[in-house]
Amino acid sequence: MKNFADIMKKAQQMQQKMTDMQKELESAEVTGAAGAGMVQAVMTGDGKARKVSIDPSVAQDTEVLEDLLVVAINDARQKADELVAQKTDAMKSGLNLPFKLPF
């Protein structure tokens, strides 16, 4: 039963690390950009939009602005996903579980 107790202890450690990681991601920010930085989107690590910045020079052409906003938001989302993957990998590597996690 010692193995089972060790697995349960590691599972509790993993649960605490997941909770800590989620809190960290809620406050972490990433910035996506488009049009050489003329449009920027700031997003939290858990995918919530925080801010959009638009250079006045692109504000006149709504079609271009719409395209740049989509690119900036998608760029921020990709960076948020990469941050989550990085944090998840770091969390998993410290656990030394005797089985592979499904994420």
Side-chain angles (χ1 to χ4, degrees), residues 19-36:
T19 300
D20 293 345
M21 182 182 75
Q22 288 172 336
K23 287 179 184 177
E24 188 177 340
L25 289 170
E26 288 173 3
S27 62
E29 290 185 349
V30 294
T31 302

Side-chain angles (χ1 to χ4, degrees), residues 48-67:
K48 293 185 178 114
R50 285 257 171 103
K51 180 181 175 184
V52 173
S53 300
I54 301 169
D55 187 290
S57 67
V58 295
Q60 307 305 319
D61 189 344
T62 56
E63 194 172 314
V64 170
L65 179 57
E66 289 169 350
D67 291 342

Side-chain angles (χ1 to χ4, degrees), residues 3 6 11 15 21 26 29-30 33 42 44 51 59 64 67 69-71 78-79 86-88 92:
N3 267 349
D6 288 343
Q15 183 178 15
M21 182 182 75
E26 288 173 3
E29 290 185 349
V30 294
V42 178
T44 61
K51 180 181 175 184
V64 170
D67 291 342
L69 279 168
V70 169
V71 172
Q78 179 182 354
K79 289 178 180 178
Q86 178 185 27
K87 299 284 183 189
T88 302
K92 289 190 304 187

Side-chain angles (χ1 to χ4, degrees), residues 13-22 91 103:
Q13 290 173 348
M14 182 179 69
Q15 183 178 15
Q16 182 60 47
K17 286 185 178 195
M18 288 285 287
T19 300
D20 293 345
M21 182 182 75
Q22 288 172 336
M91 180 200 64
F103 55 88

